[in-house]
């Protein structure tokens, strides 16, 4: 038996050496010397136009610099006109008849519907005093120098702040932005009332695009936008599309009112689900993010085993519809379960719920975290939600 032991050791050692070397020899790297498939939206669209295909192409936006002579007062510009053909900006229009005005308004509505940003139109450097004058998408531009990333692995860090529908003071907004400054997000999505979105964008002092569902603050380059979404280049060859959607949560203040709250959700969830799926249904890029402040919880969160005694097994149309359409819940995908990681984003009285979501397509989440934000959590009962994604 003793004589067999050295022989077995020699054989095992020989097999291990052979297996490792054989593994190295079996590695074959793919040949990437050929042309790469183009995935950038703006370049694909430009190529189609060059081939004579009838498409609408968004050009890289050119942003006028803020006049140095007036540091705190920027010249007022017209809202973005979303048309395929650029028209000169005329300071004053001659008086016309009522019939001519009606024809002009009708033509203008046709031109602005679901068209990309006209990059050569002058962009605004402030929001109008009357928010009813805003036409989506609405650019708020302070810097003409985009910040693009480089490297082999490109990530995007997105922070969602639901500012709610009660007016926030200037001091609260400053506290909010100061509280999240160390998170250094690439994009900040502001949901809530349009008044709070405008005040938040102006306080942040970043470039912003206000869409029908929310406002996106950014430092990268905007490539395309319509009233539903905006596409940004975060590096020379990586793009991300962001779709903000905002609804009030209407959380009850007492857990004893949960039953009536669920009933009110069920009464309108089909209509709201259809509206959200319309916004999320047609994306312009492969990598897309839906920043949703929802009127209903997620089906995944509601079971009998969570720490919240008022919960019971329940399904919600909106979360189910998004998941069935291929949207992934970034928080739930990066946490073990609702029983151990609740991810609360809203609370009122003794009711605590996850009502803010970052749904993604064709991106890999590295992490997602909900956290209290000074000026927001202590005033509106909302937490921040931040996540980072690898863009393939």
């Amino acid at each position: 038996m003793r004589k067999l032991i050295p022989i077995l050791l020699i054989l095992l050692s020989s097999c291990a050496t052979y297996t490792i070397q054989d593994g190295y020899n079996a590695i074959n790297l793919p040949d990437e010397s050929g042309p790469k498939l183009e995935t950038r939206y703006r370049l694909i669209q430009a190529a189609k136009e060059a081939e004579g295909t009838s498409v609408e192409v968004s050009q890289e936006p050119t942003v006028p610099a803020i006049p140095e002579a007036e540091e705190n007062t920027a010249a007022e510009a017209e809202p973005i006109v979303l048309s395929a053909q650029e028209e000169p900006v005329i300071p004053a229009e001659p008086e016309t008849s009522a019939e001519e005005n009606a024809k002009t308004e009708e033509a203008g509505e046709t031109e602005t519907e679901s068209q990309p940003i006209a990059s050569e139109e002058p962009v605004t450097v402030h929001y109008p005093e009357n928010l009813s004058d805003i036409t989506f998408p609405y650019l708020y531009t302070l810097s003409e120098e985009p910040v693009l990333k480089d490297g082999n692995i490109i990530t995007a860090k997105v922070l969602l702040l639901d500012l709610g529908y009660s007016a926030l003071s200037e001091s609260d907004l400053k506290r909010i932005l100061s509280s999240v400054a160390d998170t250094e997000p690439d994009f900040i999505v502001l949901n809530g009332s349009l008044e709070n979105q405008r005040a938040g964008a102006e306080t942040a002092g970043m470039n912003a695009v206000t869409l029908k569902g929310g406002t996106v603050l950014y430092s990268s380059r905007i490539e395309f936008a319509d009233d539903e979404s905006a596409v940004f280049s975060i590096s020379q060859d990586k793009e991300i599309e962001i779709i903000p959607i905002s609804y009030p949560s209407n959380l009850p203040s007492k857990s004893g009112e949960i039953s009536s709250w669920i009933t009110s959700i069920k009464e309108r969830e089909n209509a709201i689900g259809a509206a959200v799926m319309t916004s999320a249904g047609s994306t312009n890029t492969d990598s897309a993010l839906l920043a949703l402040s929802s009127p209903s919880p997620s089906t995944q969160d509601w079971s009998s085993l969570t720490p919240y005694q008022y919960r019971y097994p329940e399904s919600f149309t909106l979360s189910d519809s998004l998941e069935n359409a291929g949207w992934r819940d970034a928080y739930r995908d990066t946490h073990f379960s609702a029983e151990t990681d609740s991810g609360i984003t809203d609370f009122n009285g003794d009711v605590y719920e996850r009502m803010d979501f970052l749904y993604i397509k064709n991106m890999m989440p590295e992490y997602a975290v909900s956290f209290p934000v000074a000026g927001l959590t202590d005033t509106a009962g909302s937490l921040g939600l931040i996540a980072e994604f690898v863009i393939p």
Side-chain angles (χ1 to χ4, degrees), residues 345-365:
T345 64
D346 291 78
F347 66 90
N348 188 16
D350 64 346
V351 177
Y352 296 80
E353 283 299 323
R354 189 168 70 103
M355 306 298 289
D356 294 313
F357 303 87
L358 294 175
Y359 284 99
I360 57 174
K361 273 190 175 181
N362 298 316
M363 293 189 291
M364 182 175 69

Side-chain angles (χ1 to χ4, degrees), residues 6 24 34 61 102 105 111 127 131 183 187 190 197 207 216 229 246 262 276 391:
Y24 280 121
E105 290 177 2
E111 289 177 356
Y127 283 88
L131 290 177
T183 64
F187 302 95
L190 304 179
Q197 292 176 39
N207 289 349
V216 183
S229 68
S246 182
I262 297 299
V276 171
I391 302 178

Side-chain angles (χ1 to χ4, degrees), residues 227-299:
D227 58 346
E228 302 279 359
S229 68
V231 176
F232 305 89
S233 282
I234 196 167
S235 71
Q236 290 296 342
D237 58 354
K238 302 290 184 183
E239 292 181 341
I240 181 174
E241 181 171 5
I242 299 179
I243 309 166
I245 298 179
S246 182
Y247 287 93
S249 63
N250 296 322
L251 282 183
S253 60
K254 299 177 181 179
S255 58
E257 300 171 351
I258 287 294
S259 178
S260 59
W261 180 55
I262 297 299
T263 299
S264 68
I265 290 175
K266 295 297 182 181
E267 290 174 348
R268 54 200 180 101
E269 66 177 354
N270 288 335
I272 290 177
V276 171
M277 293 309 299
T278 298
S279 299
S282 56
T283 55
N284 298 290
T285 61
D286 290 334
S287 300
L289 179 143
L290 179 65
L292 172 65
S293 292
S294 177
S296 60
S298 169
T299 298

